[in-house]
């Protein structure tokens, strides 16, 4: 389960980075990738549902302050991402027209979209920092250890012995 979570987290992080810069990816990629990202975030939440319920039910009881802080940051990040998605749909220039839907989007939706995107970047950084020990542990286990074993395997192969059978040597 940890490996699956780690892979999904990496996918979310990389997709988020690409989606956050529509000038880099283009509006169409930005919108479709963001829609896929929303689905991936739902999977992420479902995989962590037990933690969400456990921490949520114990929020006002005796609980480590880090877990409480993580919970608050995650709730704010969730709200911010929902605001990005709703406002993004409201200002869509690709997905909605492709589906034959026309909506008059006002400037307020663009401001909400931009503000919530900026806030999400900040909250994602805090989320990442609060979970750094887990991220580092998984990087060591699933990335660095396999690479290290690969190089160790290559260097532990027996060397070819050179025998000098000239007389007097």
């Amino acid at each position: 389960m940890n490996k699956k979570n780690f892979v999904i987290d990496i996918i979310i992080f990389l997709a988020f980075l690409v989606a956050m810069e529509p000038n880099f990816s283009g509006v169409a990629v930005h919108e479709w990738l963001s829609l896929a990202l929303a689905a991936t975030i739902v999977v992420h939440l479902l995989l962590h549902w037990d933690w969400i319920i456990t921490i949520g039910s114990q929020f006002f009881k005796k609980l480590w302050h880090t877990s409480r802080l993580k919970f608050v940051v995650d709730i704010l990040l969730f709200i911010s991402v929902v605001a990005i998605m709703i406002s993004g749909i409201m200002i869509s220039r690709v997905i909605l027209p492709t589906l034959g839907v026309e909506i008059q989007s006002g400037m307020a939706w663009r401001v909400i979209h931009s503000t919530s995107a900026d806030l999400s970047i900040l909250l994602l950084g805090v989320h990442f920092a609060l979970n750094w020990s887990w991220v580092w542990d998984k990087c060591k286990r699933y990335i660095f250890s396999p690479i290290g074993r690969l190089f160790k395997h290559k260097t532990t192969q027996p060397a070819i012995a050179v025998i000098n059978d000239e007389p007097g040597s």
Side-chain angles (χ1 to χ4, degrees):
M1 184 67 141
N2 275 332
K3 191 172 188 177
K4 186 188 311 182
N5 284 339
F6 183 63
V7 170
I8 290 172
D9 289 352
I10 288 173
I11 291 168
I12 289 171
F13 181 70
L14 294 175
F16 187 79
L17 289 178
V18 172
M20 287 306 289
E21 189 49 57
N23 294 329
F24 171 72
S25 61
V27 173
V29 170
H30 170 76
E31 289 188 19
W32 288 109
L33 181 61
S34 296
L35 192 60
L37 185 57
T40 309
I41 289 171
V42 169
V43 170
H44 177 81
L45 291 173
L46 292 173
L47 289 173
H48 294 85
W49 193 250
D50 290 340
W51 182 86
I52 293 167
I53 296 301
T54 301
I55 300 302
S57 66
Q58 297 175 359
F59 188 78
F60 294 107
K61 296 178 183 176
K62 187 176 180 182
L63 186 67
W64 284 97
H65 69 309
T66 307
S67 295
R68 188 174 289 169
L69 179 60
K70 285 180 180 181
F71 190 77
V72 170
V73 168
D74 290 353
I75 292 292
L76 292 173
L77 182 58
F78 176 75
I79 292 168
S80 183
V81 169
V82 168
I84 292 173
M85 295 301 163
I86 291 171
S87 60
I89 289 168
M90 296 306 292
I91 63 173
S92 173
R93 296 185 313 204
V94 176
I95 293 175
L96 290 183
T98 299
L99 299 174
V101 177
E102 287 187 39
I103 294 178
Q104 288 292 85
S105 63
M107 190 61 182
W109 286 115
R110 293 188 188 286
V111 170
I112 291 169
H113 192 68
S114 177
T115 303
S116 57
D118 292 343
L119 182 60
S120 290
I121 291 171
L122 175 69
L123 291 168
L124 183 62
V126 173
H127 175 82
F128 187 76
L130 290 172
N131 292 286
W132 174 248
S133 61
W134 184 86
V135 171
W136 181 244
D137 179 59
K138 299 312 167 227
C139 283
K140 288 189 296 189
R141 180 177 296 161
Y142 300 125
I143 297 173
F144 301 129
S145 285
I147 291 171
R149 284 193 301 269
L150 179 67
F151 284 109
K152 185 177 179 182
H153 178 69
K154 286 184 178 183
T155 59
T156 59
Q157 294 177 352
I160 299 173
V162 178
I163 300 174
N164 187 355
D165 41 306
E166 291 181 21
S169 45

